[in-house]
């Protein structure tokens, strides 16, 4: 389904460019890192699993065209670790990081737990760390071009997030029926990222931010995210078929974030919110009609990071 992006990406040379892929040790992140390496970029793979990270680095070196390949171990559930990571990337890239692709986390599974820093665990990885890394790199001047975050956008008609309970910590939310908790968290994830991507270019006018909906990509996310066993089984049985028909494998989907970040043809086409078919999804109306709410969301998230 991403053949259009693959054709548009033919011949692009990224020699001398640096890219960081958070959540880059497997799935979409690993495949995207390999695609950037194939174009000559230096790739910094970020994740918690050192064994998987080193394996991806070896694949990057085989696929690459002279760029560096390095794994950086980081626990992205912790703000302190995100801050350390931003400093490491500044040092390792010489303050020249051209592209940031954030893929860490995954769909919510409805469980509730807190990190050692008292943030809800799913929110910390899926939302806070993505924003925090982009924010810190942009603020320091390290990020030079584009941030692409890969998770489902809310859509033009979506509602804004509840600023009073962004992490869905209140008892009423925690007592909801499991499917409702999953839906509520997923809707929250999309709405928050929508608002942050919208505000990003206002806060950093020289930079671009893109919220990319991957559609169906067959990965091991369901088992990695502790989803119920029946769902994991269904995904393993029917996932490959869906990937061949209506979806993508990580390798075929990797052409999309590559296009959105590094292909000059992606500029000026309204792709700040887009799907795997490179169809503009449009900014949610609330991000345009309620700029003060968007700004308050940004300030609240920035306070969590600072």
């Amino acid at each position: 389904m991403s053949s259009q992006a693959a054709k548009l990406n033919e011949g692009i040379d990224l020699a001398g460019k640096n890219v960081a892929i958070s959540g880059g040790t497997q799935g979409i992140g690993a495949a995207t890192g390999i695609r950037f390496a194939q174009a000559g970029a230096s790739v910094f793979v970020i994740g918690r699993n050192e064994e998987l990270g080193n394996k991806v680095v070896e694949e990057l070196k085989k696929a690459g065209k002279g760029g560096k390949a390095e794994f950086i171990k980081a626990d992205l559930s912790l703000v302190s670790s995100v801050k350390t990571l931003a400093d490491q990337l500044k040092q390792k890239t010489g303050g020249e990081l051209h592209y940031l692709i954030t893929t860490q986390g995954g769909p919510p599974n409805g469980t509730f737990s807190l990190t050692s820093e008292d943030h809800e665990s799913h929110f910390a990885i899926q939302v806070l760390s993505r924003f925090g890394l982009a924010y810190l790199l942009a603020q320091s001047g390290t990020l030079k071009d584009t941030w692409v975050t890969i998770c489902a956008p809310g859509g033009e008609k979506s509602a804004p997030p509840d600023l009073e309970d962004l992490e869905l910590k209140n008892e009423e939310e925690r007592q909801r029926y499991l499917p409702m908790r999953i839906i509520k968290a997923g809707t929250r994830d999309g709405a928050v990222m929508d608002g942050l991507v919208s505000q990003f270019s206002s806060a950093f006018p020289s930079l671009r931010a893109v919220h990319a909906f991957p559609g169906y990509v067959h990965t091991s996310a369901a088992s990695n995210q502790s989803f119920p066993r029946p769902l994991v089984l269904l995904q393993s049985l029917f996932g490959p078929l869906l990937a061949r028909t209506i979806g993508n494998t990580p390798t075929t989907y990797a052409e999309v974030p590559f296009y959105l970040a590094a292909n000059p043809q992606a500029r000026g086409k309204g792709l700040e919110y887009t799907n795997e078919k490179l169809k503009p999804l449009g900014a949610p109306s609330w991000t345009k009609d309620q700029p003060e709410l968007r700004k308050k969301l940004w300030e609240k998230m920035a306070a969590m990071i600072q």
Side-chain angles (χ1 to χ4, degrees), residues 103-255:
T103 73
Q104 67 266 35
N109 61 16
T111 61
F112 181 90
S113 63
L114 295 174
T115 70
S116 59
E117 296 175 341
D118 202 37
H119 290 294
E120 194 278 315
S121 297
H122 170 79
F123 176 85
I125 298 172
Q126 180 76 358
V127 179
L128 184 56
S129 71
R130 291 175 182 237
F131 164 73
L133 189 55
Y135 173 79
L136 292 171
L137 291 169
Q139 190 179 55
S140 70
T142 303
L143 184 61
K144 300 300 183 183
D145 196 317
T146 301
W147 167 38
V148 177
T149 188
I150 301 172
C151 63
E156 285 186 294
K157 298 181 180 179
S158 63
D162 178 5
L163 297 188
E164 299 305 315
D165 189 27
L166 281 178
E167 301 189 50
L168 305 180
K169 285 183 175 181
N170 72 53
E171 193 64 26
E172 180 181 349
E173 296 295 347
R174 294 172 61 180
Q175 294 301 321
R176 285 179 183 269
Y177 184 50
L178 179 63
M180 291 301 297
R181 293 204 302 272
I182 292 174
I183 292 171
K184 190 70 179 287
T187 301
R188 182 274 318 276
D189 295 348
V192 173
M193 293 309 306
D194 280 341
L196 296 174
V197 164
S198 178
Q199 186 67 17
F200 191 83
S201 295
S202 296
F204 305 106
S206 64
L207 303 178
R208 296 169 62 238
V210 178
H211 192 172
F213 176 44
Y216 180 78
V217 181
H218 181 57
T219 70
S220 57
S223 56
N224 292 338
Q225 297 296 321
S226 302
F227 277 88
R229 187 172 180 80
L231 184 59
V232 174
L233 180 60
L234 286 172
Q235 196 254 5
S236 65
L237 290 174
F238 296 104
L241 175 62
L242 292 173
R244 290 194 302 270
T245 53
I246 63 171
N248 280 289
T249 65
T251 299
T252 57
Y253 178 73
E255 296 287 351

Side-chain angles (χ1 to χ4, degrees), residues 266-285:
R267 315 286 166 122
K269 292 188 175 180
L271 296 177
E272 290 79 13
Y273 305 88
T274 187
N275 65 10
E276 76 283 6
K277 299 177 183 178
L278 302 181
K279 177 183 177 182
L281 300 179
S285 58

